[in-house]
């Protein structure tokens, strides 16, 4: 990326030149967002697609430079893991322009009810074509376009009748909820959302009722019950919703939701009502929260049948042995501190390349990075 921006010479010379001439660009090019797995791609399972394959569209993340430069490597990584064309189709990212700005699964929700089939919610914040919206956000740029969400529905080979494209509420965006998963979370036949997650939440409820039937459990927080500022600060909607072996569901929420009285009361109401969720487990994700993301930001749901899981390339399904190896890799290669000055130190980048080369070997994947090729 630095070479494309005009810094020339050897790796060492490029780093020194960037640090000397435009240190801000160096920081942008060295700021990784790969931990936000929810922004990596949008995924549709084979049960929902017209050709019976798992479809994935890597996000172009066009709205932010330091994220946009990762789309190429993300695509290469996904194609290395989901390599079997009989089971998987990993598309190219949408064109990387403001017209098709795509933030990945953070704006995607899949719901499934018995006998009704799946419904995919692909939310957006602004339109790229046509007249400007009078209902757009005023403080922050909406990152996802309608045109991107519509294109995703087509690329993922979904039936148009099973795709909904509601507009994100501009008040939610201006409060810092750039992505849908900050104010709404859905899993199977359960949907939990804030009334300011979408511009016309009542219309969405009507559409979901018609498509999902009576088995859908929808829990709505009003702004009076849970003020928008508390919802964004405590991230109760940015939770993992998991199905337990018993069939009951569990919400995994950040500790911030327990520490915020209004957020905690709302989640207690959720588990007290008749719906599949029976418990809330609070998890310390402070480092993630400090950088703007809760539990849901760290996940990318990829629903696979047993035969599809067996078709995965590499060693990418976590078990105790792999966890031990990865923990050892982290202990060996992660520095315990990093300063801005280190970014211009060529030895840091040699350490990084050594670590990533070993990581691909542990995961039994082919070369993913340009320095390996």
């Amino acid at each position: 990326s630095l070479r494309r921006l005009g810094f020339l010479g050897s790796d060492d010379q490029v780093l020194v030149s960037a640090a000397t001439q435009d240190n801000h660009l160096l920081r942008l090019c060295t700021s990784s967002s790969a931990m936000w797995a929810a922004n990596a791609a949008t995924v549709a399972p084979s049960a929902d697609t017209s050709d019976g394959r798992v479809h994935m569209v890597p996000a172009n993340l066009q709205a932010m430079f330091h994220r946009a430069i990762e789309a190429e490597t993300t695509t290469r990584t996904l194609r290395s893991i989901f390599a079997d064309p009989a089971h998987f189709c990993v598309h190219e990212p949408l064109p990387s322009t403001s017209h098709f700005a795509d933030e990945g699964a953070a704006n995607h929700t899949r719901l499934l009810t018995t006998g009704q089939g799946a419904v995919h919610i692909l939310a957006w914040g602004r339109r790229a074509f046509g007249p400007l919206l009078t209902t757009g956000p005023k403080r922050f740029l909406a990152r996802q376009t309608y045109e991107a969400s519509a294109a995703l529905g087509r690329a993922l080979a979904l039936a148009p009748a099973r795709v909904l494209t509601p507009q994100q509420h501009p008040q939610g965006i201006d409060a810092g909820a750039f992505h849908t998963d900050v104010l709404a979370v859905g899993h199977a036949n359960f949907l939990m959302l804030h009334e300011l997650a979408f511009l016309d939440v009542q219309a969405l409820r009507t559409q979901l009722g018609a498509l999902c039937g009576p088995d859908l459990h929808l829990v709505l927080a009003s702004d009076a019950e849970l003020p928008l500022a508390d919802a964004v600060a405590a991230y109760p909607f940015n939770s993992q919703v998991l199905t337990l072996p018993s069939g009951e569901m569990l919400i995994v929420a950040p500790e911030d939701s327990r520490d915020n009285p209004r957020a905690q009361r709302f989640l207690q109401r959720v588990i007290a009502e008749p719906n599949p969720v029976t418990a809330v487990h609070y998890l310390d994700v402070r480092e993630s929260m400090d950088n703007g993301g809760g539990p849901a930001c760290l996940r990318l749901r990829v629903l696979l049948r047993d035969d599809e899981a067996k078709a995965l390339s590499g060693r990418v399904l976590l078990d105790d042995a792999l966890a031990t190896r990865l923990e050892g890799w982290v202990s060996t290669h992660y520095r315990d501190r990093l300063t801005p000055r280190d970014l211009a130190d060529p030895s840091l980048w040699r350490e990084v390349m050594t670590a990533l080369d070993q990581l691909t070997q542990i995961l039994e994947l082919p070369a993913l990075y340009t320095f390996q090729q």
Side-chain angles (χ1 to χ4, degrees), residues 181-244:
D181 64 6
V182 177
L183 292 176
V185 58
H187 170 59
N189 64 335
F190 173 76
L191 177 63
M192 183 174 77
L193 70 162
H194 193 277
E195 69 173 344
L196 297 178
F198 303 104
L199 183 62
D200 194 343
V201 72
Q202 295 307 323
L204 179 62
R205 292 183 73 171
T206 300
Q207 291 175 306
L208 290 174
L211 290 171
C212 298
D215 287 340
L216 178 65
H217 296 270
L218 189 150
V219 181
L220 181 69
S222 69
D223 197 51
E225 176 187 20
L226 179 58
L228 183 59
D230 290 289
V232 173
Y235 267 41
F237 299 98
N238 197 257
S239 300
Q240 294 269 21
V241 183
L242 307 173
T243 299
L244 304 174

Side-chain angles (χ1 to χ4, degrees), residues 43-49 52-56 82 87-88 108 110-112 118 120 187-188 243 300-309 312:
V43 183
S46 57
D48 302 351
T49 63
R53 296 188 295 169
V54 178
H55 282 255
M56 301 182 180
F82 302 94
H87 291 96
F88 312 116
H108 171 234
R110 177 184 184 263
L111 301 173
L112 179 66
H120 292 259
H187 170 59
T243 299
L300 179 67
R301 289 190 184 276
V302 183
L303 184 64
L304 301 176
R305 300 191 309 257
D306 288 344
D307 61 318
E308 292 166 343
L312 294 175

Side-chain angles (χ1 to χ4, degrees), residues 15-359:
L15 286 172
V16 171
S17 296
T20 303
Q21 298 178 39
D22 197 330
N23 188 256
H24 181 67
L25 282 181
L26 176 61
R27 295 192 188 198
L28 286 175
C29 287
T30 55
S31 179
S32 172
S33 66
M35 68 181 291
W36 309 127
N39 297 120
T42 308
V43 183
S46 57
D48 302 351
T49 63
S50 60
D51 63 1
R53 296 188 295 169
V54 178
H55 282 255
M56 301 182 180
V57 180
N60 59 35
L61 299 172
Q62 186 273 338
M64 302 189 74
F65 170 75
H66 77 282
R67 309 188 83 170
I69 61 177
E70 296 184 0
E72 180 181 346
T73 302
T74 299
T75 303
R76 191 183 306 122
T77 301
L78 292 174
R79 284 180 171 168
S80 296
I81 296 170
F82 302 94
D84 186 346
H87 291 96
F88 312 116
C89 178
V90 180
H91 298 262
E92 288 291 317
L94 299 181
S96 188
T97 71
S98 63
H99 302 83
F100 297 99
D102 173 27
E103 295 288 298
N107 282 330
H108 171 234
T109 303
R110 177 184 184 263
L111 301 173
L112 179 66
T113 51
T114 304
Q116 300 295 321
V119 174
H120 292 259
I121 301 172
L122 292 165
W124 55 276
R126 61 184 171 92
R127 286 184 179 271
F129 301 116
L132 293 176
L133 292 172
T134 59
T135 55
K138 302 295 189 286
R139 183 183 179 193
F140 294 120
L141 173 70
R143 295 186 184 179
Q144 182 98 9
T145 64
Y146 165 79
E147 289 77 8
S149 292
L152 289 172
R154 295 188 294 267
L156 294 172
L158 299 171
R162 310 302 295 181
V163 176
L164 300 177
T165 53
Q167 182 183 347
Q168 296 169 272
H169 202 296
Q171 286 182 241
I173 294 174
D174 279 341
F178 309 111
H179 303 127
T180 300
D181 64 6
V182 177
L183 292 176
V185 58
H187 170 59
N189 64 335
F190 173 76
L191 177 63
M192 183 174 77
L193 70 162
H194 193 277
E195 69 173 344
L196 297 178
F198 303 104
L199 183 62
D200 194 343
V201 72
Q202 295 307 323
L204 179 62
R205 292 183 73 171
T206 300
Q207 291 175 306
L208 290 174
L211 290 171
C212 298
D215 287 340
L216 178 65
H217 296 270
L218 189 150
V219 181
L220 181 69
S222 69
D223 197 51
E225 176 187 20
L226 179 58
L228 183 59
D230 290 289
V232 173
Y235 267 41
F237 299 98
N238 197 257
S239 300
Q240 294 269 21
V241 183
L242 307 173
T243 299
L244 304 174
S246 65
E248 297 173 325
M249 293 185 188
L250 167 74
I251 289 177
V252 180
E255 287 185 343
D256 305 64
S257 295
R258 182 186 58 196
D259 298 337
N260 183 294
R262 294 185 181 91
Q264 185 189 56
R265 280 197 298 269
F266 168 69
L267 291 176
Q268 290 303 310
R269 175 170 77 82
V270 172
I271 63 176
E273 292 185 353
N275 64 64
V277 177
T278 58
V280 178
H281 176 75
Y282 295 100
L283 191 68
D284 178 7
V285 286
R286 171 46 47 196
E287 291 185 12
S288 176
M289 292 289 291
D290 283 346
N291 286 281
C297 294
L298 306 177
R299 68 112 199 274
L300 179 67
R301 289 190 184 276
V302 183
L303 184 64
L304 301 176
R305 300 191 309 257
D306 288 344
D307 61 318
E308 292 166 343
K310 292 178 181 177
L312 294 175
S313 299
R315 187 184 180 191
V316 294
L317 297 179
L318 192 67
D319 54 29
D320 289 343
L322 180 56
T324 298
R325 289 201 67 185
L326 291 174
E327 288 167 3
W329 174 82
V330 169
S331 297
T332 299
H333 295 289
Y334 274 48
R335 292 188 178 189
D336 62 3
R337 64 190 57 116
L338 197 66
T339 68
R341 181 180 299 177
D342 294 330
L343 299 180
D345 182 0
S347 66
L348 170 65
W349 302 107
R350 283 190 279 272
E351 291 176 21
V352 169
M353 289 187 284
T354 298
L356 291 177
D357 186 59
Q358 291 185 12
L359 180 61

